[in-house]
Amino acid sequence: MKAIQFSRYGGPDVVDIVEIDPPHPGPGEVQIRVRAAGVNPSDWKRREGQYRTFEEVTFPAGVGVEASGIVEEIGPGVSNTFVGDAVFGYGEATMAERAVLTHWVHKPDDLPFEIAGGLPVISETAWRSLDESGVKSGETLLVSGAAGGIGSAVLQLARIRGITVIGTASLQKHDYIRDLGAIPTTYGPGLADRVRQLAPDGVDAALDVAGSGIIPELIAMTGDPARVVSVADFSAEEYGAKFSRGPPKEPERVLADVARLYSKGLFRLRIEQSFPLERTAEALSISAAGRVTGKLIISP
């Protein structure tokens, strides 16, 4: 089968498409024929070696941690899933024609494979970071970097929880932010003044999705570092803020809930662009540029 791998840390040039034997599922796992795999910042950060201080990578390494597809092989101990089932979830080396999933749920018929393949990371990260921020119904949350995949999920899940959200994004993305139920503003100098105009009583919590070195400013706006969470800035804890990291917590419950929200029309995901497996390096470069609205998808 074809798969994406890298054999050393580096830029897009280290990404190769190779022919390898299909992986087989271990206990509690399934193997799927991949229909769609989501692109996440963790994919190119891992390839660049940004995680090497706390995560061991064995070369050659696969790329991708989420996918949707059709079950083709079942590992020992799996009793609730069968060959031929449509599923989506977390896995390993998912940018490939076949991949092993370690956590998954069944895909509803009205949830397209393309969207399902991009849901796991953003929905679980959004759910977890909202919980860790402690923000509650009736409070106001500031989201830095609101138009990407995780930001899009945060805006919608926060709206469902009764939270008012102010989201930063470039001006051309403000209609998108409004459409997801949030109040848009631009990022950059003067942010605190713009937020004060939008929320005269202040913001109760802040979530950093962009990782743009804004943690001290977010702490100043909330008045409490414990109410600031970053999913992208490794230095957050140096300032007393929280850095939210995996592994995912209760992924099956979260994915099942988000699938139900999608079926009810309460949650959606914009796919900005889909790429064939052969253009994975290009997709990772676009992700690294940080201007994606919604999600990028690899469709083997």
Side-chain angles (χ1 to χ4, degrees):
M1 70 169 198
K2 293 179 180 179
I4 299 299
Q5 291 185 344
F6 62 102
S7 296
R8 65 186 190 281
Y9 292 125
D13 58 303
V14 305
V15 175
D16 298 311
I17 183 165
V18 298
E19 287 280 350
I20 61 173
D21 293 332
H24 295 290
E29 300 175 339
V30 297
Q31 184 226 74
I32 63 168
R33 178 172 289 278
V34 177
R35 293 288 298 274
V39 176
N40 294 287
S42 61
D43 298 323
W44 53 266
K45 289 180 180 180
R46 184 172 290 109
R47 182 207 65 204
E48 289 180 348
Q50 293 190 32
Y51 295 169
R52 72 177 79 188
T53 58
F54 57 84
E55 178 184 279
E56 183 177 350
V57 172
T58 301
F59 297 121
V63 181
V65 296
E66 63 181 356
S68 64
I70 302 296
V71 175
E72 294 206 332
E73 187 178 346
I74 294 174
V78 175
S79 59
N80 62 345
T81 303
F82 304 92
V83 171
D85 284 355
V87 299
F88 70 104
Y90 281 88
E92 301 172 351
T94 56
M95 293 182 189
E97 291 180 325
R98 290 185 180 89
V100 167
L101 296 187
T102 55
H103 302 278
W104 70 91
V105 295
H106 289 84
K107 185 188 76 64
D109 291 340
D110 61 356
L111 177 60
F113 280 104
E114 186 179 50
I115 292 176
L119 282 179
V121 168
I122 65 165
S123 55
E124 192 280 334
T125 303
W127 203 294
R128 168 169 33 93
S129 58
L130 282 171
D131 287 347
E132 292 178 356
S133 74
V135 65
K136 303 183 294 294
S137 177
E139 293 188 326
T140 300
L141 171 71
L142 174 62
V143 179
S144 174
I150 295 172
S152 298
V154 168
L155 300 190
Q156 296 175 86
L157 294 178
R159 181 198 66 215
I160 292 168
R161 296 184 183 193
I163 298 162
T164 298
V165 182
I166 299 172
T168 71
S170 57
L171 190 60
Q172 63 267 31
K173 297 180 181 180
H174 282 196
D175 285 344
Y176 174 77
I177 299 297
R178 290 189 191 94
D179 196 40
L180 294 181
I183 304 166
T185 189
T186 52
Y187 47 76
L191 176 61
D193 291 335
R194 293 191 296 277
V195 169
R196 194 175 299 112
Q197 291 179 355
L198 296 171
D201 294 331
V203 295
D204 300 287
L207 174 58
D208 167 43
V209 179
S212 55
I214 199 174
I215 299 298
E217 191 171 359
L218 296 180
I219 292 173
M221 282 188 276
T222 62
D224 183 357
R227 301 299 301 275
V228 176
V229 178
S230 178
V231 300
D233 191 335
F234 298 138
S235 71
E237 292 173 340
E238 298 175 12
Y239 300 96
K242 299 174 184 177
F243 180 72
S244 185
R245 56 168 60 88
K249 300 173 183 177
E250 300 184 276
E252 290 88 354
R253 178 185 64 82
V254 171
L255 296 184
D257 284 347
V258 170
R260 282 192 289 270
L261 291 172
Y262 180 89
S263 295
K264 292 179 179 179
L266 298 174
F267 190 98
R268 60 188 186 274
L269 174 61
R270 170 179 167 170
I271 304 300
E272 180 167 293
Q273 194 171 354
S274 293
F275 300 82
L277 202 59
E278 293 77 8
R279 293 175 60 194
T280 298
E282 178 186 351
L284 294 175
S285 295
I286 293 173
S287 173
R291 292 187 289 273
V292 175
T293 302
K295 201 74 182 274
L296 304 176
I297 296 293
I298 304 299
S299 298

